[in-house]
């Protein structure tokens, strides 16, 4: 390689790097108090809620308070080995201040592990009827439901499924799907079913899935994709994913399952937020918590891609919800402490029945 | 010099081993190993392990079937076309396997755009005009099987085999084929070809086998249970030590496969892109004609179908079809929801341009550092005959990504190491732990092709070690070193399982962001994100291409 070649390569590389650095520069306008920089005020947020849902709120919080949010996001592809395990591993020397997301199930696990600490009493009280940990270690807000997503090109209205039990209906054999129940939100869902129905009934349901050749998809978004393509006829997903398909003009319809009289109801996979025990920035963490647990936050989340339903008392009074989500959803009542206790049994059953181990 | 090498070389080998294996050891020992849980885990891991082995074997076979004929036919085409065919072949390495797997499902799945159309054309579709019946028609789910996972992985990594074979082919004096033909006819040619080309091909295939063994994202998408999934399950249960231990049975297999591959390739002195720049054979055989060009073109097309043509087709289809109904634009939120590909691309860039810049700079820095370290390590190790020992570092490929991430957290999350833990250094350590073996392997091959006689001659001429390195070794090994740099860059920039865990808060990197947007997004967003990721991966090709063009012109000028 001649020196000239090296020089040309070097100059070209330098141009690329300079262009990149220039492209990466973008001014941020924050309402900081005089003489204060973003380095002075900081809060570390581990956010299992999707970035496209959370980013607007983070920007708004930074603008309002001048506190810089160092956010770290999860990805569905990493299953539940992302932020939750990171908080567990960091327990002896916490780096995170606030954990947003994960749902009641994983937050209960974290709380039981001693990774979360109680929120200020007034915030717990302000939750009212909204779901929260009795000790205030996690607080629920902004609901998202587990629904059935149905392909309208392959099923007609009179044959739509209406219950989680329809996944075991032989009419749909080989054409139904759920996310891998060993991971993430579906693990929480199955654990909740074990707690709600009891081991015997829940195992029967799993056996029904097995005999109906239920597809074990890579995640709830994957279920949505496969139903939208017509590969599967219906499956369980979240309102967030299902709405993406509807908004994208896919031939699907969203059904809130088990709404009939006496039905177990639809699982509410609401957002949760908690303070990490021993967090390095407790004051800023509390401010972020107070910012998130407001009706104005729930309004932004309802209007955004999350399509969440307000759960805080004021939001309920103001009926904060996307227009397409019905008012009178019958929700599945879940004791998440019992669900966490049932989880090991559920895991064993899933391995034994669905995975033939 | 040699005495200092005796101290420095083992230290450097130890450092490389420490970088690669320390996360695994930390995960094993730092989180408390429970023998009971371990026994239970191994009891349930037999089937997933079998799944991993089956997919790895198929991927090695596919890489062989595509790589060997590709290399031979392309090497026999005219020089101008040869460069084009090789460029197309190497582009395959730029596309992350998880994007390839998704495209297979979209195009070849039960409701695939291509599979359904082909099945209908072949008469397998419904013999009815009922729209319900037509919509319900789907082809068998062959894409959700371990052979399909193997085919995807083999398709993604066939250039490794092709490079090894091409390198050996270029170094061969083609008169041996002529002699064999005269002596024994076609049988003789086949025998001599097998003798020359089979070892490097097998070496490359073994490497593909090793890389596939612990892959997680592709089997997960294609619903095949592998050891990677079993490991993720244990992590979700919070039992990191058992998860790390589950990776241990794979270690000896990878050491054996990777070590054998490295040994074979080192013997053939052909383990890198260096082969493309290899010595001019003494006899080049018959001149390439249109037939050989056509054969090479057909083979290039066939070889690039699995991991280049299919994903690009899927991407183009998404771009063309990416248009949302106007009424779907809801709210005022700042996301990618937009009416088409261009707007989505703008939205993706707005949301993730910091991540993209950070990724390019950090991955470029990681690749540079890894390449420099690997050169020094290989030079020192080979001087005191420790070269083969470097093969053991290859076992690092068997350590699953989340174990690397969680192990690094255990190892570095302390008061005294806050500077490392809270900055991008931890990301670099994660990438080194995962991909330093690849860099070392490629650099080892690149340096092995430099004839020792040249360096000896320079030494006799009174050149010192640095001068010899700069004037003799570096120019000859440059293509191979560039390949090592590029491989490390691409692998680092597209890694997300460990990166997600160790990237500092407030400093997200592109791959995790884009992978999530691709999963959650709509068609325009998915297309925009794929395009953005591929553009970032391909960015370093700009200076490399410029350098290559100037180099050819300089050489032409000299001639």
């Amino acid at each position: 390689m001649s020196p000239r070649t090296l020089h040309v390569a070097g100059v070209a590389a330098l141009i690329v790097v300079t262009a990149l650095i220039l492209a990466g520069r973008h001014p941020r306008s924050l309402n900081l108090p005089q003489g204060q920089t973003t380095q002075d005020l900081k809060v570390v947020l581990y956010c299992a809620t999707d970035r496209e849902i959370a980013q607007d709120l983070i920007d708004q919080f930074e603008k309002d308070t001048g506190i810089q949010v160092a956010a770290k996001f999860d990805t569905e592809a990493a299953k539940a080995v992302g932020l939750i395990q990171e908080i567990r591993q960091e327990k002896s020397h916490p780096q995170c201040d606030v954990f947003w997301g994960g749902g009641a199930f994983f937050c209960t696990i974290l709380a039981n592990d001693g990774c979360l600490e109680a929120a200020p009493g007034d915030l717990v009280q302000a939750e009212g009827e909204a779901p929260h940990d009795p000790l205030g270690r996690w607080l629920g807000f902004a609901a998202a439901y587990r629904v059935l997503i149905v392909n309208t090109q392959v099923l007609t209205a009179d044959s739509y499924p209406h219950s989680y039990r329809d996944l075991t209906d032989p009419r749909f054999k080989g054409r139904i799907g759920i996310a891998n129940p060993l991971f993430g939100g579906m693990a929480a869902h199955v654990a909740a079913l074990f707690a709600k129905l009891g081991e015997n009934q829940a195992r029967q349901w799993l056996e029904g899935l097995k005999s109906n050749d239920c597809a074990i998809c890579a995640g709830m978004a994957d279920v949505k994709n496969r139903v939208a393509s017509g590969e599967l006829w219906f499956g369980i997903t979240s309102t967030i994913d299902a709405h993406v398909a509807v908004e994208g003009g896919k031939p699907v319809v969203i059904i809130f399952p088990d709404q009939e009289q006496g039905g177990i109801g639809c699982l509410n996979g609401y957002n949760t937020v908690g303070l990490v025990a021993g967090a390095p920035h407790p004051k800023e963490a509390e401010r972020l918590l107070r910012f998130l647990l407001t009706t104005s936050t729930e309004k932004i989340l309802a209007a955004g891609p999350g399509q969440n339903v307000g759960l805080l008392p004021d939001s309920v009074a103001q009926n904060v919800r996307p227009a397409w989500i019905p008012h009178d959803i019958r929700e599945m009542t879940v004791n998440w402490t019992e669900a966490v206790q049932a989880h090991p049994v559920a895991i064993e059953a899933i391995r034994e029945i669905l995975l033939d181990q | 010099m040699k005495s200092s090498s005796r101290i420095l070389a083992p230290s450097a080998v130890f450092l490389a081993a420490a970088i690669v294996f320390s996360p695994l050891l930390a995960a094993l020992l730092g989180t408390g190993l429970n023998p009971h849980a371990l026994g239970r885990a191994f009891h349930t891991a037999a089937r997933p392990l079998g799944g991993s082995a089956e997919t790895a074997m198929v991927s090695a076979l596919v890489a062989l079937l595509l790589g060997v004929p590709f290399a031979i036919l392309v090497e026999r085409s005219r020089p101008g076309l040869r460069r084009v065919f090789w460029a197309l072949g190497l582009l395959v390495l730029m596309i992350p396997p998880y994007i390839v797997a998704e495209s297979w499902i979209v195009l070849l799945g039960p409701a695939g755009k291509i599979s359904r159309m082909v099945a209908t054309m072949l008469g397998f579709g419904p013999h009815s005009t009922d729209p319900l019946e037509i919509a319900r028609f789907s082809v068998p789910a062959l894409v959700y099987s371990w052979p399909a996972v193997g085919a995807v992985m083999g398709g993604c990594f066939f250039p490794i085999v092709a490079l090894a074979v091409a390198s050996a082919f270029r170094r061969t004096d083609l008169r041996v084929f002529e002699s064999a033909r005269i002596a024994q006819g076609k049988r003789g040619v086949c025998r001599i070809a097998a003798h020359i080309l089979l070892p490097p091909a097998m070496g490359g295939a073994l490497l593909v086998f090793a890389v596939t063994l612990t892959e997680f994202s592709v089997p997960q998408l294609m619903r095949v249970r592998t050891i990677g999934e079993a490991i993720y399950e244990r992590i979700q249960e919070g039992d990191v030590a058992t998860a790390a231990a589950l990776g241990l049975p794979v270690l000896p297999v990878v050491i054996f496969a990777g070590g054998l591959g490295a040994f074979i390739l080192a013997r053939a002195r052909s383990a890198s892109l260096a082969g493309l720049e290899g010595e001019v054979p003494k006899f080049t055989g018959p001149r390439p004609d249109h037939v050989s060009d056509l054969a090479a073109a057909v083979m290039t097309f066939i070889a690039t179908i699995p991991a280049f043509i299919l994903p690009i087709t899927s991407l183009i289809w998404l771009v063309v079809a990416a248009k949302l109904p106007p009424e779907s634009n809801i709210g005022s939120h700042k996301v990618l929801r937009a009416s088409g590909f261009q707007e989505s691309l703008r939205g993706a860039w707005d949301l993730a341009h910091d991540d993209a810049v950070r990724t390019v700079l950090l991955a470029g820095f990681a690749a540079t550092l890894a390449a420099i370290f690997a050169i020094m390590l290989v030079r020192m190790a080979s001087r005191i005959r420790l070269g083969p020992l470097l093969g053991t570092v290859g076992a690092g490929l068997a350590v699953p990504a989340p174990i690397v991430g969680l192990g690094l957290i255990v190892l570095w999350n302390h008061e005294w190491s806050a500077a490392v833990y809270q900055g991008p250094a931890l990301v670099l350590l994660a990438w080194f732990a995962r991909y330093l073996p690849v860099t070392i392997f490629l650099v080892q091959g690149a340096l092995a092709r430099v004839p020792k006689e040249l360096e000896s001659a320079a030494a006799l001429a009174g050149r010192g070690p640095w001068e010899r390195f700069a004037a003799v070794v570096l120019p000859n090994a440059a293509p191979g070193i560039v390949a090592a740099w590029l491989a490390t860059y691409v692998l680092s920039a597209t890694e997300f399982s460990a990166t997600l865990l160790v990237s500092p808060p407030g400093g997200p990197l592109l791959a995790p962001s884009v992978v999530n947007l691709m999963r959650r997004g709509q068609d325009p967003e998915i297309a925009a994100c794929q395009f953005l990721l591929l553009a970032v991966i391909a960015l370093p090709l700009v200076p490399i291409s410029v350098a290559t063009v100037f180099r050819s012109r300089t050489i032409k000028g000299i001639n």
Side-chain angles (χ1 to χ4, degrees):
Chain A
M1 196 178 279
S2 74
R4 193 181 163 199
T5 310
L6 282 173
H7 289 155
V8 171
V11 169
L14 200 67
I15 290 169
V16 169
V17 170
T18 313
L20 282 171
I21 291 169
L22 289 175
R25 286 178 62 190
H26 66 115
R28 276 177 183 273
S29 58
L30 300 177
N31 296 337
L32 295 179
Q34 238 180 357
Q36 212 162 47
T37 67
T38 51
Q39 298 303 314
D40 300 329
L41 297 167
K42 182 182 168 184
V43 61
V44 178
L45 169 69
Y46 283 8
C47 190
T49 297
D50 289 335
R51 187 177 176 186
E52 63 268 33
I53 295 171
Q55 192 65 52
D56 279 353
L57 284 166
I58 291 170
D59 291 348
Q60 187 65 47
F61 176 75
E62 286 185 331
K63 204 175 165 187
D64 289 354
T65 62
I67 298 172
Q68 187 200 350
V69 180
K72 194 166 178 173
F73 295 95
D74 218 334
T75 164
E76 192 196 44
K79 300 292 150 201
V81 302
L83 300 177
I84 292 159
Q85 301 308 326
E86 194 167 352
I87 291 172
R88 275 174 155 174
Q89 294 304 320
E90 288 179 347
K91 188 181 163 190
S92 60
H93 191 227
Q95 301 290 326
C96 169
D97 298 304
V98 176
F99 178 52
W100 173 9
F105 179 73
F106 287 107
C107 278
T108 303
I109 290 176
L110 282 179
N112 290 348
D113 283 357
C115 296
L116 301 180
E117 67 182 28
D122 64 312
L123 270 177
V124 181
Q125 252 184 349
E127 282 276 292
E129 294 291 305
H132 58 271
D133 175 48
L135 300 175
R137 295 168 300 178
W138 56 262
L139 306 173
F141 68 113
Y145 297 93
R146 298 287 154 67
V147 292
L148 297 176
I149 182 167
V150 181
N151 187 302
T152 53
Q153 283 180 334
V154 293
L155 290 178
T156 50
D158 56 338
S159 59
Y160 287 168
H162 289 283
S163 167
Y164 77 100
R165 291 181 197 278
D166 288 330
L167 284 153
T168 61
D169 187 335
R171 280 184 304 150
F172 305 123
K173 189 175 168 80
R175 299 305 195 134
I176 37 124
I178 59 170
N180 193 327
L182 291 171
F183 299 113
M186 201 60 210
H189 197 143
V190 174
L193 286 175
F194 267 75
K196 180 82 183 171
L197 304 173
E199 190 182 338
N200 285 342
Q201 270 197 60
R203 283 179 69 96
Q204 275 175 17
W205 182 67
L206 289 177
E207 279 160 7
L209 292 184
K210 177 70 181 172
S211 60
N212 226 18
D213 289 342
C214 178
I216 306 299
C217 298
M220 292 205 188
D222 196 29
V223 172
K224 175 260 294 178
N225 290 339
R226 304 307 157 221
V227 172
S229 73
E231 177 185 325
L232 299 176
W233 292 358
F234 76 96
I236 295 177
T237 190
S238 71
T239 39
I240 304 170
D241 289 311
H243 184 260
V244 167
V246 172
E247 194 191 19
K250 304 291 183 204
V252 294
V253 67
I254 299 170
I255 290 175
F256 289 82
D258 302 291
Q259 297 299 294
E260 76 283 1
Q261 198 64 36
I264 63 164
C266 170
L267 186 72
N268 184 350
Y270 46 83
N271 275 264
T272 49
V273 63
L275 294 173
V276 172
H281 310 98
K283 282 183 185 167
E284 290 81 3
E286 194 185 315
R287 285 188 74 178
L288 180 56
L289 207 64
R290 288 184 186 283
F291 172 83
L292 288 175
L293 295 168
T294 57
T295 298
S296 58
T297 293
E298 289 198 312
K299 279 180 180 169
I300 293 173
L301 289 172
Q307 295 286 291
N308 302 102
V309 174
L311 287 179
L312 299 172
D314 276 355
S315 306
V316 173
Q318 292 176 38
N319 193 25
V320 174
R321 70 175 59 231
W324 63 274
I325 295 186
H327 291 258
D328 49 351
I329 297 171
R330 178 194 292 273
E331 287 185 19
M332 182 172 161
T333 50
V334 182
N335 181 330
W336 287 106
T337 308
E338 285 176 10
V340 168
Q341 284 165 357
H343 185 47
V345 181
I347 291 275
E348 286 307 313
I350 291 163
R351 285 207 185 108
E352 181 196 322
I353 298 166
L354 281 184
L355 305 174
D356 293 329
Q357 285 181 357
Chain B
M1 189 68 189
K2 203 148 191 171
S3 61
S4 64
S5 287
R6 273 182 214 288
I7 303 163
L8 283 174
S11 312
V13 174
F14 179 76
L15 180 62
I19 289 171
V20 172
F21 294 114
S22 59
L24 174 67
L25 288 173
L28 267 175
L29 307 173
T31 53
L33 204 55
N34 175 352
H36 177 65
L38 191 64
R40 217 158 34 92
F42 276 117
H43 179 67
T44 57
R47 272 188 61 176
L49 200 58
S52 292
E54 284 163 349
T55 55
M57 273 194 287
V58 174
S59 74
L61 190 66
V62 170
L64 271 176
L65 290 175
L66 295 178
V68 174
F70 174 84
I72 295 172
L73 292 173
V74 168
E75 281 305 301
R76 292 178 62 184
S77 63
R78 276 179 288 190
L81 285 172
R82 191 188 305 157
R83 275 198 207 103
V84 175
F85 295 145
W86 268 113
L88 286 169
L90 293 177
L91 273 176
V92 167
L93 287 174
M94 298 269 163
I95 301 182
Y98 47 82
I99 289 184
V100 176
E102 184 66 38
S103 72
W104 272 55
I105 295 168
V106 169
L107 298 176
L108 306 177
K113 309 288 168 201
I114 293 176
S115 54
R116 266 171 59 133
M117 188 177 69
V118 171
T120 307
M121 279 164 59
L122 292 174
F124 293 108
H127 302 286
S128 157
T129 51
D130 178 11
L132 207 62
E133 211 173 313
I134 292 169
R136 286 180 175 183
F137 169 63
S138 66
V139 299
L142 298 175
V143 80
Y144 297 121
S145 61
W146 56 265
V149 176
V152 166
M153 295 302 289
C156 287
F157 292 112
F158 89 86
I160 293 177
V161 173
L163 286 168
V165 172
S167 182
F169 189 80
R170 283 198 169 193
R171 297 184 71 254
T172 305
D173 182 343
L174 297 186
R175 278 179 298 191
V176 296
F177 288 108
E178 193 61 18
S179 311
R181 194 184 64 77
I182 293 166
Q184 291 183 315
K186 275 188 179 171
R187 215 174 108 242
V189 174
C190 290
R191 282 182 66 181
I192 203 80
H195 183 72
I196 293 169
L197 303 179
L198 214 55
M202 290 306 292
L206 284 169
L207 286 177
V208 176
F209 177 89
V211 171
T212 307
L213 213 49
T214 53
E215 171 65 25
F216 172 70
S217 55
V218 174
Q220 182 211 7
L221 266 174
M222 300 177 104
R223 301 180 200 163
V224 171
R225 194 161 158 74
T226 60
I227 191 69
E229 190 173 292
I231 288 167
Y232 269 73
E233 281 169 39
R234 298 296 157 183
I235 295 173
Q236 164 147 304
E237 288 171 28
D239 192 355
V240 176
T242 303
L246 275 180
L248 291 178
V250 184
L251 238 62
V253 181
V254 175
I255 289 178
F256 177 73
L260 188 61
F263 174 73
I264 291 171
L265 291 176
R267 272 178 69 93
R269 281 187 178 181
S270 57
S272 72
L273 272 179
L276 298 177
E277 304 287 326
E279 299 96 54
V280 179
K282 295 181 186 82
F283 174 73
T284 54
R287 277 175 171 274
D289 54 15
H290 290 302
V291 176
S292 53
D293 289 346
L294 184 68
V298 170
M299 191 59 222
T300 305
F301 177 73
I302 292 170
T304 54
I305 284 175
F308 182 70
I309 291 175
L310 283 179
I312 294 300
T313 307
S314 168
L315 179 60
I316 292 170
W317 178 80
L318 277 178
V319 170
V320 173
K323 201 154 183 72
L324 298 182
E327 67 271 19
S328 68
N329 292 318
I330 51 143
S332 58
H333 49 86
K334 187 190 71 185
V335 285
L336 314 183
R337 305 283 188 272
S339 60
F341 172 72
Q342 282 184 339
E343 278 183 47
S344 285
L345 190 58
R346 207 173 298 130
W349 178 250
D350 280 348
L351 195 72
H353 70 294
D354 279 353
D355 309 5
V357 171
R358 208 177 287 121
T359 301
V360 172
L361 294 178
L362 206 58
F365 184 62
T368 309
L369 214 58
I372 292 170
F373 177 69
I375 291 169
M376 287 164 54
L377 177 71
V378 171
R379 291 273 292 170
M380 283 190 289
S382 61
R383 208 169 276 162
I384 60 165
R385 297 176 191 281
L386 276 181
L389 200 63
L390 293 177
T392 56
V393 179
L397 288 171
V399 183
I403 296 294
V404 171
L406 293 169
L408 284 171
I409 292 171
V410 173
L411 204 58
W412 292 96
N413 184 24
H414 306 285
E415 207 72 61
W416 57 268
S417 53
V420 173
Y421 190 75
Q422 291 167 354
L426 203 64
V427 179
L428 291 181
L429 281 172
W431 290 347
F432 287 161
R434 295 215 65 202
Y435 303 125
L436 193 60
V438 177
T439 322
I440 291 173
F441 168 73
L442 290 173
V443 166
Q444 210 170 8
L447 296 183
R449 82 174 271 274
V450 181
K452 284 206 170 68
E453 303 78 31
L454 286 181
E455 227 184 320
S456 306
L460 285 173
R463 299 291 183 109
W466 285 110
E467 281 178 298
R468 290 203 300 270
F469 177 73
V472 177
V473 178
L474 202 56
N476 280 291
I481 291 169
V482 170
W485 186 93
L486 209 56
T488 316
Y489 172 85
V490 171
L491 290 169
S492 302
T494 54
E495 207 284 336
F496 67 87
S497 298
T499 307
L500 181 79
L501 291 163
V502 298
S503 61
L509 293 158
L510 190 66
S513 303
V514 159
V515 165
N516 209 37
L517 286 170
M518 271 165 25
R519 289 280 178 97
R520 291 273 190 222
Q522 303 199 356
D523 292 348
E525 299 160 21
I526 296 168
C529 290
Q530 283 190 10
F531 185 84
L532 185 63
L533 188 62
L534 294 178
V536 163
I537 295 167
L539 200 65
L541 292 179
V542 176
I544 292 170
S545 309
V546 172
T548 310
V549 169
F550 270 83
R551 191 174 184 224
S552 340
R553 284 190 187 170
T554 311
I555 291 169
K556 268 184 193 166
I558 292 167
N559 291 339

